Short mmCIF file of all heavy atoms in Angstrom, two decimals:
data_model
loop_
_atom_site.label_atom_id
_atom_site.label_comp_id
_atom_site.label_asym_id
_atom_site.label_seq_id
_atom_site.Cartn_x
_atom_site.Cartn_y
_atom_site.Cartn_z
N LEU A 61 -82.51 10.29 8.55
CA LEU A 61 -82.13 8.89 8.91
C LEU A 61 -83.40 8.16 9.16
O LEU A 61 -84.06 8.71 9.91
CB LEU A 61 -81.20 8.83 10.00
CG LEU A 61 -79.81 9.53 9.88
CD1 LEU A 61 -78.99 9.36 11.10
CD2 LEU A 61 -79.04 8.94 8.57
N VAL A 62 -83.57 6.91 8.62
CA VAL A 62 -84.78 6.14 8.95
C VAL A 62 -84.32 5.15 9.96
O VAL A 62 -83.41 4.31 9.68
CB VAL A 62 -85.24 5.48 7.64
CG1 VAL A 62 -86.54 4.62 8.02
CG2 VAL A 62 -85.69 6.55 6.70
N GLU A 63 -84.93 5.14 11.15
CA GLU A 63 -84.56 4.18 12.21
C GLU A 63 -85.68 3.70 12.97
O GLU A 63 -86.82 4.31 13.00
CB GLU A 63 -83.68 5.09 13.30
CG GLU A 63 -82.51 5.63 12.64
CD GLU A 63 -81.79 6.55 13.61
OE1 GLU A 63 -82.34 7.02 14.62
OE2 GLU A 63 -80.56 6.83 13.49
N GLU A 64 -85.58 2.48 13.57
CA GLU A 64 -86.74 2.03 14.48
C GLU A 64 -86.76 2.96 15.69
O GLU A 64 -85.85 3.50 16.14
CB GLU A 64 -86.40 0.64 14.92
CG GLU A 64 -87.60 -0.12 15.46
CD GLU A 64 -87.44 -1.57 15.41
OE1 GLU A 64 -86.56 -2.14 14.79
OE2 GLU A 64 -88.29 -2.19 16.11
N LEU A 65 -88.12 3.23 16.05
CA LEU A 65 -88.55 4.11 17.21
C LEU A 65 -87.70 3.74 18.38
O LEU A 65 -87.71 2.46 18.89
CB LEU A 65 -89.92 3.96 17.44
CG LEU A 65 -90.53 4.84 18.44
CD1 LEU A 65 -90.42 6.36 18.03
CD2 LEU A 65 -91.96 4.60 18.73
N PRO A 66 -86.89 4.58 19.00
CA PRO A 66 -85.96 4.33 20.08
C PRO A 66 -86.76 4.21 21.46
O PRO A 66 -86.32 3.54 22.35
CB PRO A 66 -85.04 5.42 20.12
CG PRO A 66 -85.70 6.53 19.46
CD PRO A 66 -86.55 6.02 18.45
N ASP A 67 -87.91 4.80 21.53
CA ASP A 67 -88.71 4.79 22.76
C ASP A 67 -90.17 4.63 22.39
O ASP A 67 -90.82 5.55 21.79
CB ASP A 67 -88.51 6.11 23.38
CG ASP A 67 -89.27 6.27 24.77
OD1 ASP A 67 -90.10 5.38 25.06
OD2 ASP A 67 -89.13 7.24 25.46
N GLY A 68 -90.72 3.48 22.76
CA GLY A 68 -92.12 3.12 22.24
C GLY A 68 -93.16 4.06 22.97
O GLY A 68 -94.28 4.02 22.48
N SER A 69 -92.77 4.69 23.92
CA SER A 69 -93.76 5.63 24.66
C SER A 69 -93.96 6.96 23.90
O SER A 69 -94.83 7.71 24.29
CB SER A 69 -93.41 5.89 26.12
OG SER A 69 -92.28 6.72 26.17
N LEU A 70 -93.17 7.25 22.99
CA LEU A 70 -93.33 8.51 22.23
C LEU A 70 -94.43 8.45 21.26
O LEU A 70 -94.71 7.53 20.59
CB LEU A 70 -92.02 8.73 21.36
CG LEU A 70 -90.66 9.00 22.05
CD1 LEU A 70 -89.57 9.07 21.02
CD2 LEU A 70 -90.74 10.50 22.59
N GLN A 71 -95.21 9.61 21.33
CA GLN A 71 -96.30 9.81 20.43
C GLN A 71 -97.19 8.61 20.27
O GLN A 71 -97.24 8.01 19.08
CB GLN A 71 -95.79 10.34 19.07
CG GLN A 71 -95.24 11.70 19.07
CD GLN A 71 -96.28 12.75 19.03
OE1 GLN A 71 -97.42 12.53 19.30
NE2 GLN A 71 -95.93 14.01 18.62
N GLU A 72 -97.65 8.09 21.29
CA GLU A 72 -98.60 6.95 21.24
C GLU A 72 -99.72 7.19 20.22
O GLU A 72 -100.29 8.23 20.15
CB GLU A 72 -99.16 6.44 22.59
CG GLU A 72 -98.06 5.94 23.47
CD GLU A 72 -98.72 5.61 24.90
OE1 GLU A 72 -99.96 5.30 24.86
OE2 GLU A 72 -97.94 5.52 25.84
N GLY A 73 -99.96 6.12 19.39
CA GLY A 73 -100.85 6.34 18.27
C GLY A 73 -100.23 6.66 16.97
O GLY A 73 -100.91 6.63 15.94
N ALA A 74 -99.07 7.06 16.91
CA ALA A 74 -98.24 7.33 15.68
C ALA A 74 -97.41 6.06 15.36
O ALA A 74 -96.69 5.62 16.12
CB ALA A 74 -97.40 8.53 15.87
N ASP A 75 -97.58 5.62 14.12
CA ASP A 75 -96.77 4.58 13.58
C ASP A 75 -95.44 4.99 13.07
O ASP A 75 -94.46 4.15 13.10
CB ASP A 75 -97.56 3.86 12.39
CG ASP A 75 -98.95 3.28 12.87
OD1 ASP A 75 -98.99 2.74 13.94
OD2 ASP A 75 -99.75 3.48 12.11
N VAL A 76 -95.35 6.19 12.59
CA VAL A 76 -94.16 6.69 12.08
C VAL A 76 -94.04 8.24 12.73
O VAL A 76 -95.02 8.89 12.73
CB VAL A 76 -94.12 6.89 10.42
CG1 VAL A 76 -92.76 7.43 10.01
CG2 VAL A 76 -94.28 5.44 9.94
N ILE A 77 -92.80 8.57 13.16
CA ILE A 77 -92.60 9.86 13.82
C ILE A 77 -91.48 10.51 12.97
O ILE A 77 -90.35 9.93 12.74
CB ILE A 77 -92.20 9.69 15.28
CG1 ILE A 77 -93.35 9.09 15.96
CG2 ILE A 77 -91.93 11.05 15.86
CD1 ILE A 77 -93.05 8.66 17.43
N LEU A 78 -91.75 11.68 12.55
CA LEU A 78 -90.79 12.59 11.82
C LEU A 78 -90.20 13.60 12.67
O LEU A 78 -91.09 14.43 13.34
CB LEU A 78 -91.44 13.15 10.65
CG LEU A 78 -90.65 14.18 9.81
CD1 LEU A 78 -89.31 13.71 9.36
CD2 LEU A 78 -91.46 14.68 8.68
N VAL A 79 -88.97 13.61 13.05
CA VAL A 79 -88.35 14.70 13.86
C VAL A 79 -87.48 15.53 12.98
O VAL A 79 -86.58 14.93 12.39
CB VAL A 79 -87.56 14.01 15.06
CG1 VAL A 79 -86.95 15.27 15.82
CG2 VAL A 79 -88.36 13.11 15.92
N LEU A 80 -87.79 16.78 12.77
CA LEU A 80 -87.00 17.68 11.84
C LEU A 80 -85.70 18.07 12.62
O LEU A 80 -85.78 18.55 13.73
CB LEU A 80 -87.80 18.92 11.58
CG LEU A 80 -89.01 18.67 10.72
CD1 LEU A 80 -89.72 19.99 10.46
CD2 LEU A 80 -88.62 18.01 9.45
N GLY A 81 -84.57 17.78 12.04
CA GLY A 81 -83.28 18.17 12.59
C GLY A 81 -82.97 19.67 12.55
O GLY A 81 -83.57 20.39 11.76
N THR A 82 -82.02 20.03 13.32
CA THR A 82 -81.64 21.51 13.42
C THR A 82 -81.17 21.96 12.02
O THR A 82 -81.21 23.22 11.78
CB THR A 82 -80.62 21.72 14.50
OG1 THR A 82 -79.53 20.82 14.20
CG2 THR A 82 -81.10 21.53 15.86
N GLY A 83 -80.68 21.09 11.22
CA GLY A 83 -80.17 21.48 9.93
C GLY A 83 -81.03 21.41 8.83
O GLY A 83 -80.77 21.63 7.63
#
Side-chain angles (χ1 to χ4, degrees):
L61 297 179
V62 180
E63 303 172 336
E64 193 159 349
L65 183 64
D67 178 353
S69 68
L70 287 172
Q71 289 280 20
E72 288 183 24
D75 300 319
V76 178
I77 298 172
L78 169 59
V79 181
L80 296 178
T82 53

